[in-house]
Amino acid sequence: MRTLFHSPLSPASRTVRLVLGEKRLPFEAIVERAWEKRPEFLALNPAGEVPVLVEDNGLIVPDVYVICEYLEEAYADIPLLGRTLAERVEVRRVVAWFETVFAREVSGRFIDERVMKRLSGRGNPDGGALREAYASMRPLMKYVNDLAENRNWLGGHFLSLADFTAAAHLSCLDFIGDIDWAKVPAVRDWYAKMKSRPCFRPLLNDRVSGITPPDYYTNLDF
């Protein structure tokens, strides 16, 4: 059985879970507490980070970027990068923006302060770091709202890896209640479409000890 080592509130892990689901590839999801640095897990990925995909044939594929590129090549019947070179460049650009700029300035900060510190026993959230994340969030969410307002999907005219990457990051923030959807109505409408996809349902069922998502987290009409 194909196996994915993941963390429920890791955007990278959620991206891979969404892509596997969209491509209709069954898998067993195993929650990995990466901060514990299990020798067995480090043998799979010396970087010690989730996600890590292990194929039926034993092939080990670590890292969200490597996994998604591998899945696109190995299971190309449902393409998520686009058909033309220009389409693929734009999808990869939006993906890279979320995985670098948005993760560094917003999602990574919120998740580390509100979730990972609690789970790994590293103390309480840093108020200063959270204020910086909120300040960074406003212009970056405005950019995402502009994309959603002017395109059918975030990466262009078709559903792509850009949408699943964005949905992974935003769903983590939604889980901890850090998005004011009223300020980004186009993003809210786009996210409602993403939440309604079958591949998204397992994410809506995620629960993390000590953290209760807002009531609207599971609602398709929110």
Side-chain angles (χ1 to χ4, degrees), residues 8-9 115 119 175 206-212:
L9 290 185
V115 180
L119 295 179
F175 188 97
D206 279 346
R207 293 297 179 267
V208 176
S209 177
I211 302 173
T212 302

Side-chain angles (χ1 to χ4, degrees), residues 75-95:
Y75 307 99
D77 52 322
I78 300 178
L80 296 178
L81 286 177
R83 301 288 187 183
T84 69
L85 286 175
E87 289 174 348
R88 295 166 81 87
V89 165
E90 179 59 10
V91 168
R92 287 186 172 106
R93 183 195 69 80
V94 176
V95 168

Side-chain angles (χ1 to χ4, degrees), residues 1-155:
M1 180 69 170
R2 180 182 295 110
T3 303
L4 179 69
F5 293 87
H6 77 108
S7 178
L9 290 185
S10 155
S13 295
R14 285 189 163 211
T15 298
V16 174
R17 292 167 65 194
L18 289 170
V19 169
L20 286 168
E22 187 68 17
K23 287 180 174 287
R24 303 184 185 94
L25 299 172
F27 66 98
E28 178 185 5
I30 298 178
V31 174
E32 179 65 35
R33 298 164 66 91
W35 60 89
E36 293 180 350
K37 300 186 182 302
R38 290 191 308 116
E40 297 86 354
F41 182 66
L42 291 174
L44 296 176
N45 182 15
E49 297 178 348
V50 291
V52 175
L53 181 70
V54 181
E55 282 281 36
D56 296 350
N57 61 6
L59 177 64
I60 300 168
V61 192
D63 185 81
V64 59
Y65 176 79
V66 179
I67 295 172
C68 289
E69 290 285 331
Y70 162 75
L71 293 174
E72 191 71 2
E73 292 180 5
Y75 307 99
D77 52 322
I78 300 178
L80 296 178
L81 286 177
R83 301 288 187 183
T84 69
L85 286 175
E87 289 174 348
R88 295 166 81 87
V89 165
E90 179 59 10
V91 168
R92 287 186 172 106
R93 183 195 69 80
V94 176
V95 168
W97 184 85
F98 272 98
E99 293 291 359
T100 55
V101 177
F102 195 83
R104 180 180 64 244
E105 300 295 330
V106 181
S107 57
R109 287 181 173 181
F110 279 118
I111 294 165
D112 188 58
E113 295 296 331
R114 293 199 188 280
V115 180
M116 299 310 299
K117 279 189 173 181
R118 178 196 295 266
L119 295 179
S120 61
R122 290 189 287 116
N124 297 317
D126 181 332
L130 290 174
R131 284 191 293 273
E132 290 178 1
Y134 277 119
S136 298
M137 189 177 194
R138 286 190 289 272
L140 297 187
M141 287 298 289
K142 182 181 182 304
Y143 172 65
V144 181
N145 198 70
D146 289 344
L147 288 180
E149 204 167 42
N150 292 292
R151 297 176 168 185
N152 294 334
W153 299 94
L154 296 190

